């Protein structure tokens, strides 16, 4: 059974710092991996989706990488801002024919002004 | 932009009541999902639907049912609400499985409290 782990559970950084969030998964046979952001009391917002054949995806200050063989993905946030404070979750899709995603429990990021 | 709208942000219901949670999406997505999110347990899939009138059980379907009579609307029904169904409920939608894989788009959630 696929398991997705995000460590640390919480992270606090000063504004302006570059940071990396980690996501690891136990079964490397994934179809894609998606990163989400969740603000308190709200739903999830999709940030980046990486297909299994890709190594990375970029959107603005965000860069997500994928290393299937080692079962790892990272989300790099450049020049962090207080508005980046949120919980970040990753989710993997096991196969093209599967509807179900397996989610990590998230990393709660606080960017201190 | 895809918009997934959940009809209520907060609901308070009594034990034993029948509860309806409604979700509407405006992007003609075939797939729709209901998750619940609890501290320490993360997101767990309750039910999903890949077409009108089609539904599949997720990981925790017990105590729930769903209805999809129209493509844009997916309802979650708690037949007889219990206190252990107090949770944040999240609806999501996506395009079909064909192609490169479609991102999942979520609504803002319904915080349900059962007393």
């Amino acid at each position: 059974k696929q398991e997705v782990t995000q460590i640390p559970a919480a992270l606090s950084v000063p504004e302006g710092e570059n940071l990396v969030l980690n996501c690891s998964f136990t079964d490397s046979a994934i179809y894609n991996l998606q990163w989400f952001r969740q603000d308190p009391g709200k739903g999830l917002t999709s940030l980046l989706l990486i297909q299994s054949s890709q190594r990375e995806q970029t959107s603005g200050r965000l860069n997500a990488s994928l290393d299937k063989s080692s079962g790892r993905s990272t989300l790099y946030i450049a020049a962090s801002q207080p508005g980046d404070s949120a919980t970040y979750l990753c989710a993997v899709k096991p196969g093209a024919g599967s509807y179900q995603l397996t989610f990590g429990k998230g990393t709660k990021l606080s960017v201190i002004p | 932009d895809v918009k997934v709208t959940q009809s209520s942000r907060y609901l308070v219901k009594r034990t034993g009541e029948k509860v309806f949670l409604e979700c509407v999406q405006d992007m003609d997505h075939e797939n729709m999902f209901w998750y619940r999110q609890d501290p320490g347990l993360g997101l767990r899939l309750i039910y999903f639907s890949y077409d009108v009138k089609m539904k599949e059980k997720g990981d925790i379907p017990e105590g729930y049912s769903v209805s999809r009579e129209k493509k844009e609307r997916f309802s979650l029904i708690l037949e007889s609400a219990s206190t252990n169904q107090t949770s944040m409920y999240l609806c999501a939608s996506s395009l079909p499985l064909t192609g490169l894989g479609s991102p999942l788009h979520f609504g803002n959630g319904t915080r349900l409290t059962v007393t």
Side-chain angles (χ1 to χ4, degrees):
Chain A
K1 181 186 172 187
Q2 177 74 270
E3 291 183 5
V4 178
T5 303
Q6 293 184 251
I7 295 173
L11 180 65
S12 185
V13 300
E15 182 178 1
E17 192 164 294
N18 302 326
L19 62 101
V20 173
L21 304 179
N22 298 299
C23 172
S24 61
F25 44 95
T26 54
D27 186 346
S28 62
I30 66 168
Y31 187 70
N32 62 40
L33 184 146
Q34 194 167 357
W35 281 94
F36 296 89
R37 168 190 173 131
Q38 185 174 30
D39 293 293
K42 298 282 185 70
L44 281 68
T45 301
S46 178
L47 296 174
L48 291 164
L49 184 148
I50 313 177
Q51 304 298 338
S52 61
S53 58
Q54 297 176 319
R55 294 301 300 266
E56 63 179 57
Q57 281 281 355
T58 298
S59 176
R61 294 183 295 109
L62 305 180
N63 176 278
S65 69
L66 175 63
D67 184 344
K68 269 183 54 178
S69 61
S70 66
R72 296 170 66 88
S73 176
T74 61
L75 180 67
Y76 174 84
I77 302 177
S80 59
Q81 303 170 358
D84 295 329
S85 298
T87 297
Y88 291 81
L89 296 96
C90 65
V92 299
K93 185 173 182 180
S98 174
Y99 292 93
Q100 295 213 28
L101 301 185
T102 302
F103 283 83
K105 292 191 170 76
T107 294
K108 184 175 182 179
L109 173 66
S110 299
V111 181
I112 311 302
Chain B
D1 260 2
V2 177
K3 188 151 187 183
V4 180
T5 302
Q6 294 183 230
S7 55
S8 305
R9 290 297 311 279
Y10 301 95
L11 274 179
V12 180
K13 297 292 181 181
R14 292 184 180 264
T15 301
E17 277 193 79
K18 190 169 186 175
V19 181
F20 293 86
L21 303 184
E22 306 286 347
C23 175
V24 177
Q25 49 92 6
D26 67 357
M27 283 302 291
D28 205 35
H29 282 173
E30 281 76 5
N31 300 334
M32 295 189 75
F33 306 81
W34 276 106
Y35 289 87
R36 64 177 281 177
Q37 185 177 30
D38 301 286
L41 297 176
L43 274 86
R44 293 178 290 169
L45 182 64
I46 305 171
Y47 268 97
F48 63 95
S49 168
Y50 52 88
D51 203 350
V52 175
K53 296 191 186 295
M54 305 304 290
K55 60 185 179 185
E56 294 285 343
K57 294 179 180 179
D59 297 320
I60 52 163
E62 297 78 18
Y64 303 94
S65 62
V66 291
S67 172
R68 192 161 181 206
E69 297 296 319
K70 294 185 178 181
K71 190 175 186 180
E72 68 271 17
R73 186 180 296 271
F74 192 34
S75 302
L76 180 70
I77 304 154
L78 286 66
E79 297 290 342
S80 177
S82 64
T83 54
N84 63 12
Q85 294 178 309
T86 291
S87 185
M88 170 71 101
Y89 289 87
L90 294 165
C91 175
S93 72
S94 73
L95 288 169
L97 293 175
T98 54
L100 293 178
S102 168
L104 206 55
H105 298 272
F106 282 85
N108 266 331
T110 296
R111 172 77 63 185
L112 173 67
T113 302
V114 182
T115 62

